[in-house]
Amino acid sequence: MSETIIGIDLGTTNSEVALIRDGRSQVLDVDGAPILPSVVGLAEDGSLLVGRAARNQYALYPDRTIRSVKRRMGEDVRLSMGEQSYSPQEISALILKRLKHAAEQQLGDAVHKAVITVPAYFSDAQRQATRDAGELAGLEVARIINEPTAAALAYEVDATQARTILVYDLGGGTFDCSVVRTGDEVTEVLASHGNNHLGGDDFDAKLIMHVLEHLRSEHQCDPSEDRAAMARIARACEAAKIALSNAPYARIDEEYLLPDRDPPVNLSLEIDRETYEAMIEGYIDETLEAVHTALKGAELTVADVDEVLLVGGATRTPLIQARLEQILGMQPRAEVDPDLCVAAGAAIQAGVIAGEATSAVLVDVTPYTFGTSAFGDMDGAPYPYCFVPVIRKNSPIPTANSEAFQTMVDGQEAVNVRVFQGENRDALNNTLIGSFRVEDLSDVPAGNVIVMRFELDLDGILKVTATEKRTGKEKHIAIDNATTRFESEELDAAKQRLAALMADDVEVIDAAATETEEHREAVKARALLEKAERLLESASAEDKEDLVDLIEAVRDALAADDSAKLGPAVASLSDLIYYLET
Ligand code: ADP
Ligand code: MG
């Protein structure tokens, strides 16, 4: 057997180690988790801490803790830690040593060689410093490769076709965007652009500021000088940020944050995704400008990009994926864990050097998008069946995601939840795979929040739960074999079954017929009828009479399939409803 060469992603915030086992790249656990924080420190008793323990003490003891050492690589500086000072290479070597040790423990064998990744923009001096760090850690650096190249390797090892790949890498404190060209057994970085001081930490900082403002206005206190309190706030904010990647709301609860105050301050705050997204939008705009700069550097345009790869933990932020999709016109790929992908690629390169057969990282993904329908805007007009994706296709499974919706009318007692599979913006052009009704909602004004959670497991079972946020009242369904493809006859049969299932609801219309203008009018009319009928209950006697007349007119036009009559009838009914609602 050839000698094992490990692959290492030596990151600014986090580092990972991977190797090839049975032809597959595998990221190894270090201290029980695949991600090792790139933080080194000295404990109270002077013993060395690397990873999570060092990271946990950073806010309390910054004098004896070093983070983000990667930013200093290649500089002729000494970094102080406790009483001593060290070169950046020495600190990096401590991180590399921990990774090497973890690999040796799991292999049961010594490891002498490594492939280490660096940012594409790293200078010769920075690359040399990285080599030196490896050597100090007892590792012969078999090769230094660029991080975006490693990411491309993780996605496709033997790229026989020439492809232009955009690698968007947003880590904890750095952003890099690279244009990579693969094919003919060479993978090269054509251009790279970024910001060495932009990343997920900045998102945390925005949330921390928000919490401090809340404490100032609600509790008349300012803990910004209190290290222990700030450490707790920082940790809670990062956790909330991560939670917001998969949920529309996150809570920050820190009891006895300031225990010495009378009364003690308990921090309890909810943050919704929209508020959070508004905080970070400026940063995202900045990264998108860098995307254009990188493309310009490669003398390419958006239209030349074949694929977009998401790298770095912060790219799990849904707004980033959405904005990139918007400007590039394609869904970015994120199926290989964004924070492990560079290490996985480094291992693949290591395997190639060691002469082992390797393949791209294989992950189980959902081939379909799942979502629900909601009232929204379609090409500038209101439309009741806009498709809202909740789990996007190519998400690695198992996966879970949730989105928030709001009731449309005051005192709305029930909502119909429809679950669709497909990609079309018009939900009625997708396949309805299930539906249910949540009843007995609270008697509150329109805007009652319903959170829809979709969970897809490895067996392809999709569980959809709707929860009324204010009460926690919930209802769910489980849909078997959600990821199995229907044959076309089966599809028709399933559609009919499902049409019967939702008989109390707007009828399901054959997908093939949905393109026409008439059809859209009819769908709109039916939705309007539904709404008008709900309004009937609360309308005054006089309004009720007008409503009934117009409902009849719309119904007659629908039944007669008379589009000349339907249009004006729908318009009048729509006006009346608008009048009744305002
Ligand atoms: P680096 O390459 O700089 O070492 P990583 O790629 O490990 O960093 O990214 C770390 C950043 O990703 C941190 O700011 C972390 O909070 C953030 N992060 C991790 N998971 C998520 C998530 N699910 N949603 C948003 N941000 C995340
Ligand atoms: Mg990274």
Side-chain angles (χ1 to χ4, degrees):
M1 207 184 100
S2 57
E3 185 185 6
T4 301
I5 306 177
I6 54 176
I8 291 176
D9 172 4
L10 185 59
T12 310
T13 314
N14 296 310
S15 298
E16 295 84 21
V17 58
L19 48 76
I20 301 294
R21 254 186 203 156
D22 305 322
R24 289 250 129 69
S25 115
Q26 194 179 359
V27 179
L28 304 177
D29 274 0
V30 188
D31 301 332
I35 290 173
L36 178 77
S38 307
V39 188
V40 176
L42 294 175
E44 188 105 61
D45 64 1
S47 61
L48 180 70
L49 302 173
V50 179
R52 198 141 288 122
R55 183 194 145 129
N56 287 345
Q57 75 160 24
Y58 177 79
L60 292 174
Y61 308 109
D63 301 342
R64 45 181 163 92
T65 317
I66 296 177
R67 51 177 279 178
S68 302
V69 64
K70 186 172 178 177
R71 289 214 177 104
R72 314 306 298 270
M73 291 293 272
E75 286 178 38
D76 186 15
V77 288
R78 306 292 294 177
L79 308 171
S80 63
M81 181 166 72
E83 317 266 272
Q84 302 278 329
S85 70
Y86 304 85
S87 68
Q89 293 90 316
E90 287 170 310
I91 299 298
S92 290
L94 294 170
I95 298 166
L96 291 171
K97 247 190 187 152
R98 172 57 60 87
L99 298 171
K100 172 179 185 274
H101 182 67
E104 287 174 334
Q105 274 186 322
Q106 281 164 73
L107 274 174
D109 203 358
V111 171
H112 304 291
K113 286 186 185 174
V115 168
I116 303 178
T117 59
V118 297
Y121 63 78
F122 252 29
S123 65
D124 279 345
Q126 290 170 305
R127 286 166 201 261
Q128 189 51 49
T130 306
R131 276 186 184 279
D132 294 345
E135 227 136 89
L136 287 172
L139 285 167
E140 180 193 323
V141 181
R143 193 159 308 169
I144 297 276
I145 65 168
N146 291 321
E147 287 160 12
T149 305
L153 284 173
Y155 274 91
E156 45 199 317
V157 168
D158 34 31
T160 43
Q161 264 182 316
R163 292 180 87 67
T164 303
I165 296 174
L166 187 84
V167 180
Y168 178 104
D169 180 348
L170 189 63
T174 55
F175 168 66
D176 302 302
C177 176
S178 310
V179 182
V180 178
R181 185 85 189 143
T182 67
D184 297 336
E185 290 171 26
V186 286
T187 299
E188 55 173 339
V189 179
L190 299 182
S192 195
H193 191 73
N195 181 343
N196 212 353
H197 287 273
L198 173 63
D201 294 349
D202 297 301
F203 299 0
D204 297 350
K206 287 278 186 192
L207 283 172
I208 292 169
M209 260 160 49
H210 180 78
V211 167
L212 289 178
E213 269 163 36
H214 166 87
L215 286 170
R216 250 173 247 138
S217 64
E218 300 294 314
H219 300 273
Q220 289 74 47
C221 65
D222 179 4
S224 51
E225 301 297 319
D226 178 340
R227 275 189 189 172
M230 287 305 287
R232 284 176 65 188
I233 292 172
R235 208 173 308 168
C237 284
E238 189 187 9
K241 171 190 76 173
I242 289 173
L244 284 169
S245 286
N246 290 297
Y249 301 94
R251 290 208 61 84
I252 294 179
D253 285 308
E254 291 290 324
E255 273 187 33
Y256 297 103
L257 178 71
L258 299 171
D260 300 337
R261 297 241 327 181
D262 188 23
V265 172
N266 295 324
L267 170 63
S268 179
L269 176 65
E270 182 182 83
I271 296 174
D272 63 76
R273 195 187 266 167
E274 272 155 38
T275 307
Y276 168 64
E277 288 181 341
M279 294 177 196
I280 61 168
E281 206 151 29
Y283 291 131
I284 296 177
D285 287 339
E286 204 181 308
T287 67
L288 298 178
E289 274 164 37
V291 167
H292 289 295
T293 309
L295 282 169
K296 211 181 269 171
E299 292 177 27
L300 296 173
T301 67
V302 161
D304 297 309
V305 176
D306 294 312
E307 271 182 80
V308 185
L309 309 184
L310 295 184
V311 178
T315 61
R316 289 218 180 81
T317 310
L319 182 61
I320 293 180
Q321 307 196 4
R323 295 288 304 278
L324 273 172
E325 183 164 354
Q326 219 172 37
I327 65 158
L328 294 160
M330 72 183 90
Q331 193 187 342
R333 295 182 66 178
E335 63 264 30
V336 181
D337 217 323
D339 27 34
L340 306 182
C341 151
V342 168
I348 290 170
Q349 179 67 66
V352 171
I353 295 170
E356 284 179 69
T358 58
S359 62
V361 179
L362 280 188
V363 279
D364 247 330
V365 297
T366 161
Y368 302 111
T369 296
F370 297 100
T372 185
S373 63
F375 209 95
D377 189 89
M378 177 89 83
D379 303 325
Y383 182 64
Y385 300 104
C386 293
F387 182 52
V388 184
V390 182
I391 291 179
R392 299 292 306 265
K393 90 169 174 218
N394 289 330
S395 302
I397 47 179
T399 183
N401 204 15
S402 43
E403 292 287 342
F405 296 85
Q406 300 188 359
T407 54
M408 300 264 307
V409 291
D410 293 349
Q412 187 170 331
E413 286 173 0
V415 288
N416 292 311
V417 178
R418 302 178 189 79
V419 183
F420 294 92
Q421 168 196 301
E423 308 295 327
N424 202 290
R425 291 189 306 139
D426 181 346
L428 299 181
N429 285 347
N430 294 326
T431 308
L432 181 76
I433 58 170
S435 78
F436 62 103
R437 196 174 160 88
V438 191
E439 284 168 326
D440 300 324
L441 297 176
S442 310
D443 186 8
V444 290
N448 188 13
V449 174
I450 312 291
V451 175
M452 222 83 91
R453 181 175 163 84
F454 280 48
E455 292 163 82
L456 185 62
D457 72 11
L458 277 169
D459 301 319
I461 294 170
L462 179 68
K463 184 178 165 196
V464 178
T465 309
T467 309
E468 183 181 36
K469 182 163 176 275
R470 59 189 303 279
T471 57
K473 180 185 171 65
E474 64 164 57
K475 193 163 171 186
H476 71 264
I477 50 166
I479 302 165
D480 271 350
N481 297 319
T483 54
T484 322
R485 187 187 284 275
F486 282 116
E487 295 301 329
S488 81
E489 300 92 310
E490 277 181 60
L491 192 71
D492 289 340
K495 268 191 195 153
Q496 277 167 18
R497 273 202 307 279
L498 291 166
L501 197 96
M502 43 191 279
D504 65 327
D505 209 312
V506 178
E507 79 186 85
V508 205
I509 293 139
D510 183 30
T514 56
E515 292 302 346
T516 64
E517 187 56 36
E518 281 91 28
H519 165 71
R520 187 141 292 164
E521 274 296 310
V523 171
K524 210 166 102 188
R526 287 194 184 91
L528 212 56
L529 283 176
E530 230 185 301
K531 203 166 166 189
E533 276 154 13
R534 274 199 303 270
L535 282 174
L536 265 182
E537 291 161 29
S538 56
S540 70
E542 197 182 331
D543 293 336
K544 203 174 255 175
E545 204 170 304
D546 291 343
L547 258 179
V548 169
D549 285 349
L550 288 172
I551 288 174
E552 284 305 311
V554 171
R555 280 220 180 101
D556 288 349
L558 273 176
D561 212 4
D562 185 342
S563 55
K565 279 203 184 125
L566 185 62
V570 163
S572 309
L573 181 58
S574 172
D575 285 348
L576 179 59
I577 290 177
Y578 178 78
Y579 161 76
L580 290 177
E581 280 182 347
T582 51

